[in-house]
Amino acid sequence: MQGKHSINLLQAELLPEKVLLTLPRVVMLWGALLLAMVIWAFVTHSSNKQLKSTYSVLQKQSNKQSQQVNTLEKKIANRAPDKQLQDKLATLNLLMRHKQGLHGKLTDTKRTFVVGFAKAMQELSQMHHPDIRLTQININLDDMTFSGLAKKPEAVPAWLAGFEDSVLLSGKSFVQFELTRNEANMTEFTVSSKYAAEDSK
């Protein structure tokens, strides 16, 4: 039998109780809490900064769209017809109609003033009558006036009858026909014509 050489005089109830909150544990707890708060503050700051940046971009877009809306509203409001522009358009349309009418007359080769005064003179020379001498010729658009001297009164109607064979002078009807005798026993005459279509109006 083996003998007992030591005696344990420290009983379990005599040992000190273990303390849960020790200084090192409290320090570690506060350190972990501080680290968590620092991380949370950093994350919050970063998220807040990103949200501010997004808000700034959205605010700029909103302002730009508001300006576009205002511009479009002004354009819509200004689409009402402007009285001054309407009057100007009416004047331009009237001028265009007159110019088109003038263009039609200027391009109508049946009219004397289109072909030219020289052509009329050429035809008059071809219709020369030995008893007729012209002293004045007036061609104004469609109206023509001839004044001159005739040896015999009946020579004037004979000379006018030759107009039927003329390209420029045919189709005219004379609304004025004057015959007078001067001191030299010559017949002075004046005839004025215009298109027969105008007489019928």
Side-chain angles (χ1 to χ4, degrees):
M1 182 174 172
Q2 199 172 19
K4 196 172 183 180
H5 299 287
S6 62
I7 299 174
N8 187 5
L9 299 177
L10 185 60
Q11 299 295 324
E13 59 272 9
L14 297 177
L15 293 174
E17 295 181 0
K18 293 182 178 181
V19 180
L20 182 61
L21 295 176
T22 61
L23 183 59
R25 288 180 179 177
V26 172
V27 170
M28 289 179 61
L29 180 62
W30 278 102
L33 185 60
L34 179 62
L35 180 62
M37 291 182 65
V38 169
I39 293 173
W40 179 79
F42 178 77
V43 171
T44 303
H45 177 73
S46 177
S47 177
N48 188 34
K49 186 176 181 180
Q50 185 176 1
L51 288 175
K52 283 184 177 181
S53 177
T54 304
Y55 173 78
S56 177
V57 172
L58 293 176
Q59 185 68 28
K60 289 180 180 178
Q61 291 179 352
S62 177
N63 293 337
K64 187 176 180 180
Q65 291 175 351
S66 297
Q67 292 177 356
Q68 290 178 348
V69 169
N70 293 333
T71 303
L72 291 175
E73 287 178 350
K74 289 180 180 178
K75 287 183 178 180
I76 292 173
N78 292 333
R79 288 184 66 88
D82 188 354
K83 184 68 170 64
Q84 187 176 1
L85 290 177
Q86 284 183 325
D87 294 341
K88 189 175 181 180
L89 179 61
T91 303
L92 289 175
N93 287 334
L94 182 62
L95 287 175
M96 284 299 297
R97 286 196 297 270
H98 286 183
K99 287 183 178 180
Q100 288 172 354
L102 180 60
H103 178 267
K105 289 184 177 181
L106 291 174
T107 54
D108 186 358
T109 56
K110 294 182 179 179
R111 295 177 181 264
T112 303
F113 65 89
V114 175
V115 180
F117 189 78
K119 182 67 175 176
M121 294 299 100
Q122 180 182 359
E123 289 198 354
L124 285 173
S125 66
Q126 292 173 354
M127 293 183 297
H128 172 69
H129 194 284
D131 294 334
I132 297 292
R133 185 180 66 173
L134 292 174
T135 59
Q136 185 177 2
I137 300 173
N138 184 14
I139 300 176
N140 183 16
L141 298 181
D142 294 334
D143 297 333
M144 305 181 72
T145 301
F146 302 104
S147 299
L149 298 172
K151 292 181 181 180
K152 298 179 291 185
E154 59 270 17
V156 179
W159 174 66
L160 293 175
F163 284 12
E164 294 299 325
D165 298 328
S166 169
V167 176
L168 296 176
L169 306 177
S170 63
K172 299 289 192 302
S173 62
F174 295 95
V175 295
Q176 181 182 359
F177 190 91
E178 295 181 1
L179 293 176
T180 58
R181 187 172 293 276
N182 61 14
E183 296 177 356
N185 202 24
M186 296 284 290
T187 301
E188 295 182 354
F189 68 91
T190 299
V191 291
S192 179
S193 66
K194 62 181 179 179
Y195 277 116
E198 295 182 359
D199 290 339
S200 61
K201 290 181 181 179

